[in-house]
Amino acid sequence: MAHKYIIGNWKMNNNPLEASTLLHRLDEKVAADQNVSVVICPPFIDLYPLARDLNKAKFRLGSQNIHYLDQGAYTGEISPAMLKGLVDFAIIGHSDRRIKANEDDKIIAKKVAAALRNTIRPILCVGENLLDHQHGVAREVVSGQLTADLSMITAAEIAQVLITYEPVWAISANSQVGPATPDDVLPMVRLIRQTVGGLYGEAAAQAVPVLYGGSVNPHNAKAYLKLEGTSGLLVGAASLNYAEFSDIIKTAQKLA
Ligand code: PGA
């Protein structure tokens, strides 16, 4: 089995004290496994305190967003240059940001490039909304997002990128339909690899980690992880619960 990634996206939850308690609980439950990378993506304010007592053999840190510039007059923003050395990963293009913060593919492409130039691995999220899903245009939407979002990076840089297929309608907070079925996910994972192959060649298509995200929980995690070509999971709500998140991690470790 290829390397797996389990990413916890805490979203706007947990102050520094709560964050450190949650990480401590998780640390007690989870063993280190070199075949599974566990990446915690807390709010910015938690990154520095968590980094100080993080068990690096078990966990890595990621941010939930970055700015596309390294510095400047952008009140309230956090740049990738400021995060360099503190995080190994950054979620970019999450649908919360595409929809609630009006981020378009142009901005997302700049953010992917900005992460890479600061040695931060982008976890690029793509996925169709409910209307696109119902109208049967998910494939066009996802390949279009991907092509635009990767437009500023080179063939050498694609090796550092992770891609998550996260249909907007399947995210628990949107709770429109519930999780995508493995049958929904498999063709989209293939499409993502195909699109990367068209842009960067067959070796890149096979190597790029492609994850699934959307209402993942301890009960459904295994079915996604067993899908051919699926390299891991992006977990939102269930990552806030150490018992549930550690179960998901253990499932990945058993399969890896
Ligand atoms: P969820 O969130 O697991 O709560 O559906 C996933 C995400 O939005 O990243």
Side-chain angles (χ1 to χ4, degrees):
M1 273 270 188
H3 194 86
K4 301 277 188 225
Y5 296 84
I6 303 295
I7 320 273
N9 176 12
W10 288 2
K11 307 193 183 182
M12 197 171 67
N13 295 287
N14 292 326
N15 66 28
L17 190 60
E18 292 161 340
S20 121
T21 306
L22 178 53
L23 189 67
H24 184 73
R25 295 261 188 281
L26 207 55
D27 197 7
E28 288 173 339
K29 285 243 169 206
V30 170
D33 184 333
Q34 58 182 15
N35 298 315
V36 180
S37 297
V38 180
V39 183
I40 308 290
C41 301
F44 284 123
I45 193 173
D46 300 334
L47 283 171
Y48 194 71
L50 287 189
R52 277 185 312 193
D53 42 54
L54 189 78
N55 182 342
K56 273 213 147 196
K58 294 187 188 176
F59 306 106
R60 299 276 149 173
L61 286 176
S63 64
Q64 298 173 13
N65 179 34
I66 53 169
H67 198 269
Y68 58 84
L69 293 174
D70 289 349
Q71 69 274 312
Y74 290 86
T75 303
E77 294 287 344
I78 305 279
S79 86
M82 290 152 62
L83 293 166
K84 188 175 181 172
L86 188 60
V87 301
D88 293 315
F89 297 84
I91 298 173
I92 295 178
H94 190 280
S95 58
D96 285 346
R97 300 215 51 91
R98 289 180 190 262
I99 297 163
K100 297 171 190 167
N102 288 321
E103 287 188 9
D104 60 15
D105 287 317
K106 265 195 185 151
I107 289 180
I108 292 164
K110 285 192 207 172
K111 290 189 173 192
V112 171
L116 290 166
R117 88 173 161 260
N118 285 286
T119 58
I120 294 171
R121 296 186 68 184
I123 302 165
L124 172 64
C125 298
V126 292
E128 80 284 4
N129 64 28
L130 184 60
L131 215 58
D132 297 333
H133 181 65
Q134 287 167 339
H135 289 166
V137 294
R139 297 179 67 82
E140 290 76 1
V141 169
V142 167
S143 62
Q145 286 175 338
L146 209 50
T147 306
D149 299 343
L150 296 177
S151 63
M152 292 178 69
I153 68 163
T154 65
E157 288 172 327
I158 188 70
Q160 297 304 316
V161 177
L162 293 80
I163 297 167
T164 301
Y165 171 56
E166 197 164 64
V168 181
W169 50 269
I171 292 174
S172 66
N174 304 336
S175 69
Q176 290 163 311
V177 181
T181 66
D183 285 348
D184 292 321
V185 176
L186 184 61
M188 299 305 279
V189 168
R190 288 198 180 127
L191 171 75
I192 288 169
R193 292 193 183 280
Q194 234 172 44
T195 308
V196 170
L199 296 168
Y200 299 101
E202 195 43 37
Q206 299 216 353
V208 66
V210 181
L211 286 64
Y212 167 72
S215 299
V216 172
N217 62 44
H219 309 290
N220 61 22
K222 188 173 175 185
Y224 300 120
L225 287 167
K226 283 180 78 174
L227 281 180
E228 195 197 329
T230 305
S231 322
L233 301 167
L234 177 55
V235 185
S239 74
L240 295 171
N241 178 314
Y242 69 89
E244 291 190 11
F245 195 52
S246 60
D247 271 3
I248 294 169
I249 294 166
K250 284 177 196 165
T251 301
Q253 291 177 338
K254 271 189 213 138
L255 290 172

